Amino acid sequence: MTRSVYVTGTDRGDGRQVIELGVMELLTRHVDRVGVFRPLFHGDGPDRLFDLLRSRYRLTQSAESVVGMTYGEAADLQAERGTDELVSRLVERFHAVARDYEYVVVLGTDFAGTTLPDELALNARLANEFAASVITVVGGQEQSAESVRAEARNAYRAYETLGCDVVALVVNRIAPADREAVAERLSASLPVPCYALPEDPSLSAPTVRQIVQKLGAEVLLGDDAGLSRDAKDFVFGGAMLPVFLPALTEGCLVVTPGDRVDLIVGALAAHSAGAPPIAGVLLTLDERPGPDILALAGRLAPGTPVVSVPGGSFPTAAELFAVEGKLETSSPRKAETALGLFERHVDVAELTDRISVARSGRVTPMMFEHELIERSRSARRRVVLPEGTEERVLRAADVLLRRDVCDLILLGEEEAIRKRAAELGIDLADAQLIDPQTSPLRDRFAEIYAKVRAHKGMTVELAHDVVADVSYFGTLMVQEGLADGMVSGAVHSTAATIRPAFEIIKTAPGAQIVSSVFFMCLADRVLVYGDCAVNPDPNAEQLADIAIQSAATATQFGVEPRIAMLSYSTGTSGSGADVDKVRKATELVRERRPDLLVEGPIQYDAAVDPAVAQTKLPGSEVAGKATVLVFPDLNTGNNTYKAVQRSAGAVAVGPVLQGLRKPVNDLSRGALVQDIVNTVAITAIQAQGEQRGERTEP
């Protein structure tokens, strides 16, 4: 039977989208097929929240199936045929959705500008008719702690009295100073879990794009990333430049007549210097700078929006203050902020249990990625990113910080990092920035490296230059416990990333070599491929070591290891040096780790296809259900993982290095932002498995 959860409130302005997004995130971690149903919708444009959910969670559900009917249709139907008929129609449309999904998230009515009588009672009745668990949301913006508590208690009693199965209550947008007191007192007075989320100004702040859309502004300069910046404040320019510049605040939108070239150039120059980074510039009175000034503006702050409106400053100000920030597809950073807020202040495990979510037997790519984020957050670690000025790394850092995944250290010239971050509209306030060239650690690291490489003739003087390289500096931070792991390779070669680790960190006890795996996330399962990135032609002993390491990595990330030692023949059907190598490696794995399930030599189809396995290796505990696939050489492994990735649409997470004493991971130079996020999360999880003392502060 399809289960459902109904997220509802008592009034408008409760910021319920944060909770709806958080619940969707929670469900997609455990359930393969999640649907969405919105009983009533205004119908005055696209459903931006559903568009966000569909894009973020790769939903295949059509937009038409989500909505029961418009508010206008509902009001007409209720007036003509009564509430019972309205409810009956909505129940019928809900079940049409529920038939296709394991779980349905119901988005309650928004209490905004409707003519429906007693909207709360309608939500309660629909929840009961849907047999849905209810999460009640109460807004606490600009209210005292006492009034918020009273409203929350009243909301719970209202839905509970109407027969709803209220499983949790969320008070949202509370003054941060009141959050803990409200949460404690509500938990003591209500019989269901109560979660209190503080107000986050960046969620209510509109993006520049939303302002452009609302005001019908013309975009003169700016790229997609710039238009996605939050306008956290408005600074109206009228004074002379020396008075104007100190008034700028971080993330502000500068509003000035278009003929004030001095203020336009001054604001953009301040942004470029990172003091402070602004959201953009809005020009009024339909005045535009000349092409030379616009060209200068584009060079000063690439990507920073400069937009124009025909109205004057006063009417424009009135319109600006009426624009609200919304969660939508065009504001992915808001989504990350919202999820970070939800996950910090909601006991996700408790809520999962309350809404009776059973984990699916399938493991989809999204479930695997969710699990990485959840596990990395569970025991916070510190990861160093040597490529601190690279755009993809900065964007990944933005996601990781907003989601509160781990602590981050970015390496590079601090001014250059801050300037690039400002150009991208990224806030690095919670990250640590270190310049290896000027850091006090450089002298200490030079002495350490000279000692480690003394047998190669390394001196402290030479080492002083070597350790200024970001890859060496980051590796030494990991070695010295100043960071728990390192991720690099977006712009550096694999050799540049892992050579310092070979020299300084070295292999773990019991490991003969350093190798790698990819987590191949197929539609319904996760396979582990090794080694597809490091060792060109391992011998039998090394191949056995790769298999044992890969099994350990699989176990660490929740994949039960059943090892297939791949070859071009299965069982005893083939002979030759290549097959013999795999056969010997299989025997070595069995000798060293008799507890592991391993089969080899075996062909790929016999390893993963039960029908083929029944013909070629009947009775095998691995054939047809292998989860760890070990390739005989790099040529085979690298080509196979790329073929599966491209042809089967699999998500390839990795390469994940294994066999080192401390975690260092390499990125593909074509890595996407999400690839970097996943790899950092994996590195943090690997670091959690390291049995070490407390970290040292840099």
Side-chain angles (χ1 to χ4, degrees):
M1 177 182 174
T2 301
R3 296 193 61 83
S4 58
V5 59
Y6 199 115
V7 184
T8 185
T10 59
D11 201 352
R12 65 178 304 177
D14 53 22
R16 200 185 318 156
Q17 291 181 328
V18 173
I19 288 77
E20 292 166 338
L21 181 66
V23 169
M24 193 71 178
E25 178 84 8
L26 179 157
L27 287 171
T28 53
R29 291 176 185 171
H30 299 85
V31 179
D32 182 21
R33 292 179 295 112
V34 181
V36 179
F37 184 67
R38 187 189 290 281
L40 300 177
F41 184 59
H42 288 284
D44 52 358
D47 188 339
R48 291 188 173 86
L49 178 62
F50 175 68
D51 288 344
L52 170 64
L53 297 178
R54 180 165 55 180
S55 171
R56 185 177 186 88
Y57 300 108
R58 305 164 200 165
L59 305 181
T60 57
Q61 185 178 358
S62 68
E64 294 75 21
S65 70
V66 171
V67 177
M69 63 181 71
T70 67
Y71 279 98
E73 292 169 337
D76 291 344
L77 182 62
Q78 188 175 41
E80 292 176 11
R81 306 191 62 178
T83 301
D84 287 349
E85 180 65 20
L86 170 62
V87 170
S88 177
R89 296 272 187 94
L90 292 174
V91 169
E92 180 181 336
R93 294 177 188 183
F94 166 79
H95 285 298
V97 172
R99 281 195 294 270
D100 296 328
Y101 299 97
E102 298 172 58
Y103 216 110
V104 177
V105 178
V106 184
L107 313 178
T109 67
D110 59 15
F111 297 88
T114 70
T115 58
L116 292 173
D118 202 352
E119 206 164 329
L120 187 151
L122 177 62
N123 280 293
R125 182 169 176 187
L126 290 175
N128 291 334
E129 296 289 353
F130 299 165
S133 302
V134 172
I135 298 174
T136 303
V137 184
V138 173
Q141 187 183 30
E142 298 180 355
Q143 294 190 52
S144 68
E146 185 55 42
S147 65
V148 170
R149 293 203 312 275
E151 187 173 340
R153 289 195 297 268
N154 291 338
Y156 169 77
R157 292 193 183 106
Y159 279 101
E160 194 270 340
T161 300
L162 290 169
C164 293
D165 176 24
V166 180
V167 294
L169 186 139
V170 181
V171 183
N172 192 27
R173 306 186 72 180
I174 304 172
D178 295 336
R179 195 204 71 80
E180 288 190 14
V182 170
E184 288 175 6
R185 294 182 189 180
L186 280 176
S187 295
S189 61
L190 291 178
V192 297
C194 300
Y195 309 115
L197 277 61
E199 174 80 2
D200 188 321
S202 67
L203 286 176
S204 54
T207 64
V208 178
R209 178 180 285 104
Q210 289 168 341
I211 290 172
V212 167
Q213 293 170 344
K214 186 70 174 179
L215 274 62
E218 179 184 355
V219 179
L220 307 180
L221 293 174
D223 59 16
D224 186 68
L227 291 168
S228 297
R229 297 177 191 171
D230 295 327
K232 299 176 183 178
D233 190 12
F234 302 116
V235 174
F236 294 85
M240 298 303 291
L241 192 62
V243 177
F244 168 73
L245 287 179
L248 295 178
T249 58
E250 184 176 335
C252 70
L253 180 69
V254 172
V255 183
T256 182
D259 59 358
R260 287 298 304 270
V261 172
D262 57 332
L263 301 187
I264 298 168
V265 173
L268 294 173
H271 170 84
S272 179
I278 64 173
V281 179
L282 189 152
L283 309 178
T284 61
L285 298 175
D286 209 19
E287 292 282 346
R288 295 170 175 79
D292 291 345
I293 297 299
L294 283 177
L296 174 61
R299 290 193 297 272
L300 274 174
T304 298
V306 176
V307 304
S308 174
V309 295
S313 295
F314 184 78
T316 299
E319 290 186 89
L320 283 173
F321 287 118
V323 182
E324 296 181 13
K326 298 289 185 183
L327 290 176
E328 55 189 35
T329 307
S330 65
S331 57
R333 289 179 187 165
K334 285 189 185 297
E336 301 296 350
T337 300
L339 286 172
L341 191 71
F342 181 87
E343 291 159 343
R344 278 193 296 275
H345 299 291
V346 171
D347 186 333
V348 174
E350 179 183 50
L351 185 57
T352 301
D353 182 63
R354 294 283 297 174
I355 62 177
S356 304
V357 181
R359 185 174 290 277
S360 171
R362 287 158 46 96
V363 179
T364 67
M366 186 170 296
M367 288 180 189
F368 184 74
E369 291 177 353
H370 286 333
E371 184 73 14
L372 292 179
I373 298 298
E374 191 172 9
R375 288 185 59 189
S376 58
R377 187 189 292 111
S378 66
R380 198 177 184 88
R381 292 294 182 265
R382 181 187 294 152
V383 179
V384 59
L385 306 175
E387 298 157 324
T389 57
E390 162 61 27
E391 178 176 341
R392 289 166 295 158
V393 171
L394 286 168
R395 293 193 185 281
D398 189 35
V399 173
L400 292 160
L401 293 171
R402 288 174 185 264
R403 294 293 302 278
D404 206 29
V405 173
C406 62
D407 295 325
L408 292 178
I409 303 168
L410 300 177
L411 300 185
E413 183 185 351
E414 185 171 346
E415 183 178 345
I417 295 174
R418 293 196 184 282
K419 180 177 180 181
R420 188 66 180 122
E423 291 170 354
L424 298 171
I426 292 171
D427 182 3
L428 295 179
D430 293 330
Q432 184 176 10
L433 310 185
I434 296 178
D435 184 353
Q437 298 283 343
T438 59
S439 171
L441 292 170
R442 184 175 177 181
D443 291 339
R444 171 181 161 187
F445 285 174
E447 292 181 5
I448 294 169
Y449 184 69
K451 185 176 180 179
V452 169
R453 302 293 289 174
H455 63 290
K456 294 291 186 179
M458 181 59 62
T459 65
V460 172
E461 290 74 19
L462 291 172
H464 197 260
D465 291 332
V466 173
V467 301
D469 176 88
V470 290
S471 296
Y472 276 92
F473 193 93
T475 303
L476 281 157
M477 290 193 75
V478 176
Q479 173 64 16
E480 291 300 294
L482 304 175
D484 297 308
M486 182 179 91
V487 174
S488 189
V491 292
H492 289 86
S493 67
T494 295
T497 298
I498 66 177
R499 184 186 296 115
F502 289 162
E503 294 177 0
I504 298 165
I505 293 177
K506 304 185 175 43
T507 56
Q512 294 185 19
I513 58 173
V514 173
S515 61
S516 72
V517 296
F518 278 91
F519 290 99
M520 301 301 294
C521 303
L522 304 175
D524 59 351
R525 55 186 159 164
V526 176
L527 300 178
V528 178
Y529 282 11
D531 172 12
C532 304
V534 179
N535 297 286
D537 189 17
N539 59 33
E541 289 76 12
Q542 292 170 332
L543 204 58
D545 197 51
I546 292 169
I548 292 169
Q549 290 180 21
S550 299
T553 301
T555 300
Q556 186 177 19
F557 289 91
V559 178
E560 182 184 353
R562 293 186 291 273
I563 308 168
M565 307 294 288
L566 298 175
S567 180
Y568 59 78
S569 71
T570 296
T572 59
S573 65
S575 62
D578 292 337
V579 179
D580 291 342
K581 178 179 80 168
V582 175
R583 185 172 289 115
K584 182 180 178 182
T586 305
E587 293 169 356
L588 289 170
V589 174
R590 288 175 176 148
E591 289 174 9
R592 296 175 188 172
R593 291 290 306 277
D595 58 308
L596 292 175
L597 295 176
V598 60
E599 191 70 71
I602 185 172
Q603 292 162 288
Y604 191 98
D605 58 349
V608 300
D609 189 322
V612 176
Q614 185 60 34
T615 301
K616 294 189 174 183
L617 276 177
S620 169
E621 293 184 274
V622 173
K625 46 192 175 184
T627 57
V628 177
L629 297 108
V630 180
F631 294 90
D633 54 58
L634 184 60
N635 182 51
T636 307
N638 193 269
N639 279 295
T640 302
Y641 107 76
K642 288 181 177 176
V644 172
Q645 179 186 32
R646 301 299 179 187
S647 301
V651 175
V653 180
V656 178
L657 296 185
Q658 52 192 15
L660 288 167
R661 288 190 300 113
K662 297 183 180 183
V664 171
N665 280 310
D666 180 37
L667 297 166
S668 163
R669 274 175 280 182
L672 303 176
V673 171
Q674 188 58 46
D675 298 331
I676 301 172
V677 170
N678 289 339
T679 303
V680 171
I682 284 174
T683 305
I685 294 168
Q686 287 179 311
Q688 290 170 3
E690 297 291 326
Q691 298 300 314
R692 300 199 300 275
E694 292 296 317
R695 294 172 297 182
T696 306
E697 292 299 324

